[in-house]
Structure formats: C-alpha cells, structure tokens
Amino acid sequence: MDRLSSMNAFVKAAELGSFSAAAEVLQISSQLVGKHVHHLEQRLGMRLLNRTTRRQSLTDFGRSFYERAKIILAEVEHAENLAAEAQASPSGRLRINAPVSFGMQQLAVHLPEYMKAFPEVSVELTLSNRTVDLIDEGYDAVFRVGQLADSGLIARPLAPYRLVLCAAPDYLAAHGPLNTPWDLQTHECLGFAHTELRTQWTFDGPDGWIVVAVSGRLMVDHGEPLLCAALAGLGILLQPLELVRKHLATGELVALLPDYQVPTRPLHILYAPDRRITPKLRSFLDFAIATFGQEA
C-alpha cells in the first residue's frame, strides 16, 4: 500500500477518533482505513493505536508518530501546492524598485514587453538611488548597482553596468583636453551624490589602476540633471552608457581618455530568500535575466 496514503488514513483516524469518521472524510471504506493503519503498524513494527470494540486511543509511540506524520503530510501538500503555483498563470501586483538612470533608460524601455506578455500582472515601479529595504518596504524584487552588502537577500547577477567619461565639445574648447586621468583634478567634474563617485573616480590604464580625487560646483543625486549640465558645457560627466549613448552618437558629447577604462559596476536583481517564488515573481525574474543578463 502507498505509504503516504496509509499515513494520511492514520492521521485522520487519530484526529477524528474512529475509522468510520476518517473513512467518511477520505471517502473510502472504514475497512480500508483499518488496512492502512495495520499496514503502517506492520511496516514500523510498532502498535500505533489501542483498539477495543468501543473506542481507540493512541499508544505512546503512536502519539509521537502522529506528530511527525502531520508535519510530513503538510510538507507534501506544500510541495504539491508549489507545483500547482508554478503551472499557474502569473497574476497580481508586483512591486519593483530600481536605480533612477537604469530604471528610466533601460527598465522602462523593456517593461512594456513584460506587461504585454503577462496581462494579468500589474506592476508598481519606484525609482530611487537610495538603498531601499526590500523586506520592510514590501518589494518583491529590487535592482541594485554596485558591490552588494551582506543583506541575506538572494542576488541574481545581470550584465555589468558600464560607465562612460565624456564632456560637451564646448566645454573642452573652453577648458582644454584631457590626456590622463590626473588632469581631472584641474577640471570641473559633475558630481554624482551616491557611492564613491561623489569624490573619486577610478580608471584602469596602461600602467594599472588609478584613483583620482574629483571636485566640482554641482552635486546631484540623479544622473539626468548631470546630463543636462554636461550638455550645457558645465563640466565633465561620468555616467552610464545608456544615459549618454545617443548624445555620443550625435556628437553633443565626446568620449574622453580612450586608453583608460572606467571599471564596470555590478548589477543584480535581488529578492527575499524566504519569499515564496510565486508565478508573478518567477516570470519577472526570468524576464530580467533574459533582458538584462550576462547573455542578453
């Protein structure tokens, strides 16, 4: 006989107090309930129930086995529910957070593709350059740029975030060219108010790594206002490629120091380890990895 079916029959008989009551709930005969319990006792080599013509009661071993059996059956049911959920259509509200420039220049461009593919999912997207608390603020998933702290969240790596050093031709005409990263110390550098980019910029050149202290009159916590300042000839910009790509193509901005590479920054999508992977979250994780992942 099937072990789980026998275990389920025993648990119902123990909870309801008789084979007949268990049989009614399970929609089988009371004789079959008895066979299931007898099969378990033979397999275990221990008596589970003390039975008389009028009543039944759990043995000491039966009481211990009952508690363990309930846990096992609950876990089996949970596992079967997970399988059912995995086959279900994604639906419900999905709360996502992303850095501003990535959210505007990349995620917002591709998000309609996801929403067309999954019409029963509604998306609440917030853009912020601060580090949000995924658990306390109730997000399903967050995108994060830069080195990760040990937060206990599950992180899926995406394609690294590439930064570009550039400036408007008018600025370069007025202030002179750059030959090495050290020349930045005499230039107006447009400051990004998050992470180490606020005060220092790092490069990988012919002679190895260089870290240069930078300063300027403008400090902003979003990349878009810095882009406006750079286009107006106010200073030198270090921002994501996606933010400046079209302006490089039109010549409004000029890439600087081609012999010195700006290190890429890690990009991850994070979610809680104890959060059940619902169809809506699974579908969005798959979308993010396919769209922004290493192989995208």
Side-chain angles (χ1 to χ4, degrees):
M1 302 183 80
D2 176 67
R3 194 185 313 180
L4 287 176
S5 297
S6 296
M7 197 177 294
N8 190 40
F10 162 68
V11 167
K12 291 301 182 187
E15 290 176 342
L16 299 175
S18 70
F19 289 174
S20 58
E24 185 176 349
V25 170
L26 296 173
Q27 296 185 332
I28 59 177
S29 67
S30 58
Q31 289 82 3
L32 185 53
V33 172
K35 287 181 179 180
H36 277 301
V37 174
H38 181 65
H39 170 73
L40 270 183
E41 290 178 328
Q42 282 192 318
R43 183 180 184 87
L44 296 169
M46 298 287 285
R47 181 172 290 278
L48 296 171
L49 292 169
N50 291 315
R51 296 182 290 276
T52 66
T53 54
R54 293 188 176 184
R55 61 187 298 271
Q56 67 180 33
S57 61
L58 288 167
T59 64
D60 289 342
F61 174 77
R63 191 171 293 106
S64 298
F65 186 80
Y66 164 75
E67 295 297 335
R68 291 300 183 97
K70 279 201 308 181
I71 295 172
I72 292 169
L73 292 171
E75 287 296 326
V76 170
E77 183 179 5
H78 178 61
E80 290 176 342
N81 288 340
L82 287 178
E85 286 181 356
Q87 297 173 19
S89 297
S91 63
R93 186 180 67 157
L94 193 67
R95 297 196 70 229
I96 306 296
N97 175 267
V100 176
S101 292
F102 170 78
M104 293 180 65
Q105 303 298 324
Q106 297 190 62
L107 181 56
V109 172
H110 294 283
L111 189 58
E113 301 168 15
Y114 171 80
M115 299 192 71
K116 287 178 181 179
F118 301 100
E120 295 183 19
V121 177
S122 61
V123 177
E124 181 181 323
L125 172 64
T126 62
L127 303 180
S128 172
N129 287 329
R130 70 179 179 87
T131 302
V132 301
D133 190 309
L134 183 146
I135 303 297
D136 289 348
E137 298 183 49
Y139 287 105
D140 293 288
V142 300
F143 292 89
R144 197 158 289 170
V145 176
Q147 297 295 332
L148 296 177
D150 185 9
S151 63
L153 301 175
I154 296 177
R156 303 291 298 275
L158 304 175
Y161 215 46
R162 182 181 170 190
L163 302 178
V164 176
L165 186 74
C166 55
D170 289 348
Y171 174 86
L172 297 173
H175 296 84
L178 275 74
N179 298 311
T180 74
W182 300 114
D183 294 335
L184 289 168
Q185 294 178 319
T186 61
H187 281 265
E188 191 73 23
C189 297
L190 301 172
F192 184 60
H194 289 278
T195 72
E196 71 280 358
L197 296 179
R198 179 186 182 95
T199 57
Q200 62 184 39
W201 294 351
T202 303
F203 302 87
D204 185 10
D207 299 320
W209 294 94
I210 298 174
V211 179
V212 180
V214 296
S215 61
R217 293 184 297 131
L218 181 63
M219 183 75 63
V220 186
D221 63 351
H222 287 54
E224 283 68 15
L226 294 177
L227 172 62
C228 293
L231 291 170
L234 196 60
I236 296 174
L237 182 70
L238 181 62
Q239 282 293 299
L241 173 62
E242 294 300 327
L243 180 63
V244 301
R245 186 194 298 273
K246 68 179 181 180
H247 303 289
L248 292 172
T250 61
E252 296 172 283
L253 295 175
V254 177
L256 305 174
L257 300 178
D259 294 332
Y260 296 86
Q261 297 297 315
V262 181
T264 59
R265 306 191 70 208
L267 174 64
H268 294 85
I269 184 168
L270 290 77
Y271 60 97
D274 57 348
R275 179 156 294 176
R276 191 169 58 190
I277 304 298
T278 59
K280 64 179 179 180
L281 178 55
R282 169 58 60 199
S283 67
F284 189 79
L285 292 173
D286 291 344
F287 156 78
I289 292 168
T291 307
F292 308 113
Q294 305 277 2
E295 304 301 324

